[in-house]
Amino acid sequence: MLPGSIQISGETLSGAEIRDICESLRENSVRLLSLRGCQLSERDFGHVCRAAAESRSLAQLNLNLGIVSNINRVKQLAEALKANRSVQSLFLHGSPLTDAGLALLNPALSIHPSLVALDLGDCMLGDEGINLICGLLPPDGAKSGLKELTLSANPGVTSKGWGRLAIAVAHSSQLRVLNLDYNPLGDQVAGMLAVAVASSRTLEVLDLEGTGLTNQSAQTLLDMVENYPTALRTLILAENNISPELQQQISDLLSEGEEEEETEAREVTAREKNPWICQNNSGSQMVLMTSGLGDSLLAETEM
C-alpha cells in the first residue's frame, strides 16, 4: 500500500489518536503528517518525535502554528531529525523558536540528507538565526542544500542579516523559491536582493509582498529583469507602495522570458525526437517532410 497522509488542524489530540499516529509512522504508511495548530501534551509530542525518527516513509512534516512551543520540544524534534532520513519538507511556521531554538535545531538540519524545503516564517528569528540559515544554502556545488525557504514575518532581522542572506542566495546552487513576505525590508534590502537574483542561476520565485518597498526598488528590480538573464519566473510585489504600471511592466517581462524558454524547450525537444528538423544560421527552422512525418512533427512543435 502506498503511504498516505494524516492531516489534523486545530484539534486537541487524545492519547489514542497519538498512538494511532505513531503506529502509522512506524509502519511506514504515512508520507505527510500535518498537526497544524493542534494541542498535545509534552509526553505525546515526544512520542510523535520518536515515531517520526523511525519512519522511512515520512516526506513532509507540518508542525505549524505553535506546536513546537518550547525549548524541550525543539530538542526532541532535533533528535528526531538526526535519526530520520526521509523528511524532505519541514514546516514550523508560527513557532516561537527564536535564534536560541534554531541554534539547537540547526545541527540536525544541516546534516539531514533529504531536507529541501524549510518554513521558518513567524519564528521570532533575528540576525543570528539568519546566519545559521545561510549555512543551509551552501555555495555552488559544495553540497546539497535547500531548494525552498520561507522566512516570512520575522521582523527582528535587520538589514545586516538580510544582506548576509542575499549573499548566500547569490552563491547558492540550489535555491529555487524564497518567501520573504511581511518583513520590513525596504528599498535598501530590495536592492541587495536584486543583485542576488541577478547572480543566482536557480531562483525562480521571490515573494516580497508587504515588505515596505516603493517605486525606487521596483525600478531596480525592473532594470534587473530587463537587462540580466535570470531564472526568475515569479516576483510577488503586492501590498507595497509600488505603482500598478511598474508592477505590470515587471510581470510582462517575466512572462515574456517564460514564453521564450518554453518555445526554445519545445524546439529542442522536437529536434531531439526527429532528425529531419534542422537549424540554419539565421535561427529559423526548416522542416524536411519525409514519409509523411513532417505534419506530425509540426503538430508536435506547436503543442
Side-chain angles (χ1 to χ4, degrees):
M1 184 176 70
L2 292 174
S5 64
I6 298 175
Q7 300 184 62
I8 309 171
S9 182
E11 295 186 15
T12 299
L13 300 177
S14 67
E17 289 172 315
I18 294 296
R19 283 192 295 273
D20 288 342
I21 291 170
C22 292
E23 183 178 345
S24 296
L25 286 168
R26 291 193 170 96
E27 290 176 348
N28 299 310
S29 62
V30 178
R31 181 171 176 79
L32 185 161
L33 175 61
S34 176
L35 303 179
R36 186 175 179 272
C38 289
Q39 301 292 321
L40 61 164
S41 68
E42 294 295 315
R43 180 180 178 183
D44 285 343
F45 182 84
H47 288 324
V48 171
C49 284
R50 286 188 287 276
E54 298 176 27
S55 176
R56 298 188 305 276
S57 64
L58 185 63
Q60 182 171 317
L61 180 58
N62 185 334
L63 300 175
N64 282 351
L65 302 183
I67 302 295
V68 187
S69 55
N70 55 54
I71 289 297
N72 184 54
R73 292 193 177 193
V74 173
K75 291 177 180 178
Q76 292 184 84
L77 178 59
E79 288 302 314
L81 291 171
K82 285 178 183 177
N84 176 276
R85 290 292 178 268
S86 62
V87 170
Q88 299 171 21
S89 302
L90 177 64
F91 300 94
L92 300 176
H93 202 111
S95 302
L97 287 182
T98 71
D99 290 352
L102 183 57
L104 292 173
L105 194 60
N106 187 65
L109 299 177
S110 61
I111 64 170
H112 198 284
S114 302
L115 189 68
V116 293
L118 181 62
D119 186 342
L120 296 176
D122 195 18
C123 283
M124 302 172 64
L125 301 180
D127 288 354
E128 288 304 313
I130 295 297
N131 286 338
L132 294 172
I133 290 166
C134 288
L136 304 177
L137 303 174
D140 294 344
K143 60 178 181 178
S144 61
L146 295 177
K147 294 183 180 179
E148 298 184 20
L149 176 61
T150 296
L151 294 171
S152 316
N154 281 294
V157 180
T158 70
S159 58
K160 179 181 178 181
W162 294 126
R164 175 73 179 85
L165 180 69
I167 293 171
V169 170
H171 293 283
S172 169
S173 60
Q174 300 288 325
L175 197 66
R176 298 183 183 280
V177 178
L178 178 60
N179 298 312
L180 299 178
D181 46 313
Y182 299 106
N183 285 298
L185 303 181
D187 291 332
Q188 180 184 5
V189 172
M192 291 187 281
L193 290 171
V195 174
V197 172
S199 301
S200 172
R201 294 175 298 181
T202 59
L203 192 67
E204 298 176 356
V205 178
L206 178 60
D207 188 349
L208 298 178
E209 180 175 359
T211 50
L213 308 188
T214 70
N215 284 346
Q216 176 184 330
S217 52
Q219 187 62 57
T220 300
L221 292 164
L222 176 63
D223 292 342
M224 179 268 296
V225 172
E226 192 170 21
N227 296 306
Y228 295 91
T230 74
L232 195 67
R233 295 294 168 264
T234 303
L235 178 59
I236 302 172
L237 295 172
E239 296 191 34
N240 285 296
N241 190 22
I242 297 173
S243 70
E245 292 77 15
L246 270 175
Q247 292 197 47
Q248 189 61 52
Q249 282 181 271
I250 294 171
S251 178
D252 290 344
L253 283 170
L254 291 174
S255 298
E256 286 176 12
E258 189 170 359
E259 288 170 2
E260 288 172 3
E261 275 211 352
E262 288 176 356
T263 301
E264 182 179 343
R266 285 197 297 269
E267 292 172 353
V268 169
T269 301
R271 288 198 298 274
E272 290 173 349
K273 283 183 177 181
N274 200 289
W276 287 289
I277 293 187
C278 305
Q279 192 85 21
N280 66 21
N281 292 334
S282 65
S284 61
Q285 284 191 343
M286 178 173 62
V287 180
L288 300 182
M289 297 188 181
T290 307
S291 302
L293 290 176
D295 291 336
S296 60
L297 200 54
L298 264 177
E300 258 187 320
T301 60
E302 290 171 356
M303 286 178 63

